[in-house]
């Protein structure tokens, strides 16, 4: 079993969630972009910003994450299974789910609130599993090395 040598390691799920909440988004490029994605999702939810403009910016940020990750991962072995989405897409969904969960605190039923937080927690675990599998060389990303 090989371990990928990353120039800069992938952040943990806790670091990504903190960045999505705006609590901490250090100089790590993925964390900065996670914060930006969350801000865009919040803008869309709170003031109904122009969807086309917001989605275009989000798509660019997702590509930025994907390029950053792919430039740091060595080629995966042929035995590595392909994940269904890119890491950028997963981080974008984490950003969206973060906003949805915090919005649910003020306006959702108890059932909807629980569902929103459960979805965020499950996706955060999925992110961390994917990061671990990428590092171990057991998984590769679509379009990746």
């Amino acid at each position: 079993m090989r371990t990928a040598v990353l120039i800069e390691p992938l952040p943990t799920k806790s670091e990504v969630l903190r960045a999505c909440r705006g609590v901490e988004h250090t100089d790590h490029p993925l964390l900065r972009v996670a914060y930006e994605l969350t801000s865009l999702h919040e803008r869309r939810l709170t003031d109904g910003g122009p969807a086309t403009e917001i989605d275009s910016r989000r798509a660019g940020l997702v590509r930025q994450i994907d390029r950053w990750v792919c430039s740091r991962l060595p080629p995966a072995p042929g035995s590595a299974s392909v994940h269904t989405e890119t890491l950028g897409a997963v981080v974008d969904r984490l950003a969206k789910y973060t906003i949805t969960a915090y919005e649910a605190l003020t306006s959702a039923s108890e059932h909807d609130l629980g569902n929103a937080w459960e979805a965020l927690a499950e996706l955060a675990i999925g992110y961390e599993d994917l990061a671990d599998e990428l590092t171990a060389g057991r998984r590769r990303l679509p379009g990746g090395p």
Side-chain angles (χ1 to χ4, degrees):
M1 179 87 33
R2 75 175 180 88
T3 299
V5 178
L6 296 170
I7 295 170
E8 193 165 359
L10 294 171
T12 66
K13 71 178 180 204
S14 296
E15 291 169 330
V16 174
L17 291 172
R18 282 193 303 270
C20 288
R21 290 192 322 264
V23 174
E24 177 182 312
H25 53 280
T26 62
D27 289 335
H28 195 289
L30 192 146
L31 297 178
R32 276 194 317 272
V33 175
Y35 173 74
E36 289 180 55
L37 285 165
T38 307
S39 297
L40 290 170
H41 282 288
E42 182 175 32
R43 181 174 157 211
R44 188 172 199 184
L45 182 68
T46 58
D47 59 307
T52 304
E53 175 189 320
I54 290 172
D55 289 345
S56 175
R57 180 72 182 128
R58 282 181 38 237
L61 291 171
V62 166
R63 282 191 303 275
Q64 187 176 333
I65 290 173
D66 294 340
R67 283 192 303 268
W68 181 86
V69 171
C70 287
S71 72
R72 280 151 178 81
L73 285 174
S79 61
S81 58
V82 179
H83 195 263
T84 57
E85 61 186 336
T86 68
L87 195 66
V90 172
V91 172
D92 183 49
R93 283 195 304 127
L94 278 169
K96 180 180 181 181
Y97 286 13
T98 296
I99 292 303
T100 302
Y102 277 92
E103 176 64 21
L105 286 171
T106 61
S107 63
S109 69
E110 192 171 315
H111 176 74
D112 291 340
L113 177 64
N115 286 342
W117 283 93
E118 183 176 352
L120 177 59
E122 287 176 351
L123 183 58
I125 291 167
Y127 163 85
E128 193 154 74
D129 289 347
L130 176 59
D132 291 345
E133 290 175 340
L134 289 170
T135 302
R138 292 186 306 270
R139 180 78 66 169
R140 59 190 168 95
L141 297 170

